[in-house]
Amino acid sequence: MGENLRKYNEVFMNIFGAAESELNESFTFESVHKWDSLAHMALISRLEDIFDVMFETEDVLHYGSYLNGIKILERYGVDMKA
Amino acid sequence: MLRLENKICVVTGAARGIGKAIAETFAQAGARVYSLDLPSAEFETQEGRLASGGEIIHVRADITASDSVRATFMRVKKECGKLDVLANNAAIISYEMLGMISKDKLRKMFEVDVFAMIEMMQYASRLMAKSGGGSIINMASIVGTNGAAGQLAYSAAKGAVVALTKSAAKELAPQNIRVNAVAPGMVATKRLVAEMSGRFEEKTGNIGLGRMALPEDIANVYLFLASDSASYVSGQIIGADGCMVL
């Protein structure tokens, strides 16, 4: 696992109290009880800090899953394999 | 005088008029001010460091373009690491009777006066939340609270500003972000003075204080709301109309 993916996973584990093994295609806004709007904004804020990006509003709105988040970050130039 | 030392501010519509006065007042109070206006705008505001310790930085940005808005806040984040004050001043104003309002013009007005304001608040609040809070100040108008014949479109846009200010204040209070609006009456900007060309008496008759506001009168209310002296003021629409009756 690359360093960026490790940092990404840590954010999800800290904010949602999830185990790393739970972080997969099923980890979505709809399926995770703790993923409310406050947790969502905390997630966005933490990821922006860690990866030094600023998400477009549309990406904030559609950042609805663990996997989709990886794709969005890669669009901002974050190499998730690094 | 109220001080804004070490505060980072963004002011929209800051090339001239009230926005220029806000930017200069903030900088004179010690703030670092990012003064935004359209790429085509000719800035009357002086750029650079002031003796007060404040600074004005011109930023050419279209606040109706999401990329431009995002780039502006990204720049503030990279250069300062925080944002303390957003002064949403930019607006389109027009005067038409109900039957003369075109949908295109109405759409353009809402794009600048309302939608862009909301997007600025979205980005600003994210930056402010990271550093423990801030102050957002929106430009409303007396016509947004009282209405005015011949200004239906503008009053609708400013009425929206009143409502969104109150809602945002409630939503952002837990993050220590205060949101207020200033509602001026008639302000003697250069443009208005030129348009009125000597017809002041007929217009000032319904202003209790007997004169139109100067841009600096409005900027001083912004200064108060931006400062720590207003630390317990949020969700308010502050009239700055000289006791005008509409």
Side-chain angles (χ1 to χ4, degrees):
Chain A
M1 181 188 297
E3 179 65 11
N4 281 340
L5 186 59
R6 186 190 62 74
K7 288 195 279 190
Y8 183 73
N9 285 355
E10 264 182 18
V11 173
F12 275 75
M13 290 189 283
N14 288 337
I15 288 180
F16 300 111
E20 196 157 28
S21 58
E22 294 176 70
L23 300 177
N24 52 41
E25 69 278 2
S26 304
F27 203 94
T28 66
F29 182 79
E30 291 83 9
S31 65
V32 176
H33 178 65
K34 286 184 180 172
W35 198 332
D36 58 15
S37 57
L38 284 178
H40 188 76
M41 293 315 292
L43 173 69
I44 294 297
S45 177
R46 194 79 191 103
L47 292 171
E48 284 184 334
D49 284 345
I50 286 179
F51 295 109
D52 195 24
V53 296
M54 182 169 262
F55 293 118
E56 291 172 24
T57 304
E58 283 301 305
D59 288 329
V60 174
L61 297 179
H62 297 117
Y63 204 107
S65 77
Y66 168 80
L67 279 190
N68 193 41
I70 291 175
K71 287 180 196 160
I72 289 174
L73 275 170
E74 284 176 335
R75 265 203 286 111
Y76 283 83
V78 178
D79 182 357
M80 296 304 280
K81 295 184 181 74
Chain B
M1 184 187 178
L2 296 167
R3 301 296 298 166
L4 298 179
E5 265 127 10
N6 303 317
K7 291 205 186 288
I8 308 300
C9 308
V10 168
V11 181
T12 67
R16 65 182 66 81
I18 300 172
K20 169 181 179 280
I22 294 168
E24 290 177 346
T25 300
F26 282 5
Q28 281 157 12
R32 181 175 199 182
V33 183
Y34 289 85
S35 295
L36 274 60
D37 217 308
L38 287 167
S40 58
E42 200 170 306
F43 278 81
E44 292 177 5
T45 325
Q46 197 178 345
E47 189 172 27
R49 284 199 175 279
L50 309 183
S52 63
E55 183 178 11
I56 294 179
I57 300 157
H58 292 172
V59 180
R60 298 185 182 281
D62 178 357
I63 61 166
T64 65
S66 293
D67 286 353
S68 187
V69 171
R70 182 174 156 271
T72 299
F73 284 103
M74 194 70 197
R75 177 179 171 183
V76 172
K77 184 187 176 194
K78 281 197 182 302
E79 291 181 357
C80 308
K82 67 163 189 167
L83 175 66
D84 299 295
V85 178
L86 168 64
N88 266 321
N89 164 71
I92 290 178
I93 184 168
S94 69
Y95 305 87
E96 296 102 357
M97 302 301 282
L98 176 59
M100 299 299 289
I101 297 169
S102 79
K103 205 180 250 184
D104 279 349
K105 205 166 181 181
L106 189 61
R107 194 176 288 120
K108 184 66 188 164
M109 184 179 290
F110 268 77
E111 261 182 30
V112 175
D113 296 10
V114 182
F115 303 156
M117 180 180 282
I118 291 173
E119 186 160 40
M120 294 293 292
M121 290 169 66
Q122 286 178 318
Y123 280 104
S125 62
R126 276 159 57 193
L127 267 185
M128 289 173 176
K130 291 177 201 294
S131 52
S135 173
I136 296 172
I137 311 158
N138 296 328
M139 186 60 82
S141 165
I142 191 171
V143 305
T145 53
N146 294 27
Q151 285 193 281
L152 187 143
Y154 186 61
S155 66
K158 292 303 179 182
V161 171
V162 169
L164 71 87
T165 296
K166 291 180 179 180
S167 293
K170 289 175 178 169
E171 192 171 314
L172 297 174
Q175 294 163 78
N176 196 34
I177 299 170
R178 299 182 290 106
V179 189
N180 294 286
V182 178
M186 291 192 73
V187 184
T189 57
K190 274 187 190 170
R191 186 178 63 179
L192 185 69
V193 169
E195 278 175 11
M196 290 181 64
S197 60
R199 293 179 293 118
F200 284 95
E201 280 187 13
E202 67 183 73
K203 291 292 180 188
T204 54
N206 56 354
I207 302 174
L209 291 181
R211 67 170 177 88
M212 287 195 286
L214 299 172
E216 291 71 23
D217 291 319
I218 308 305
N220 285 333
V221 183
Y222 268 73
L223 174 61
F224 167 67
L225 292 170
S227 75
D228 294 339
S229 293
S231 61
Y232 203 60
V233 181
S234 193
Q236 304 304 307
I237 314 301
I238 312 290
D241 55 31
C243 217
M244 185 179 187
V245 177
L246 269 183

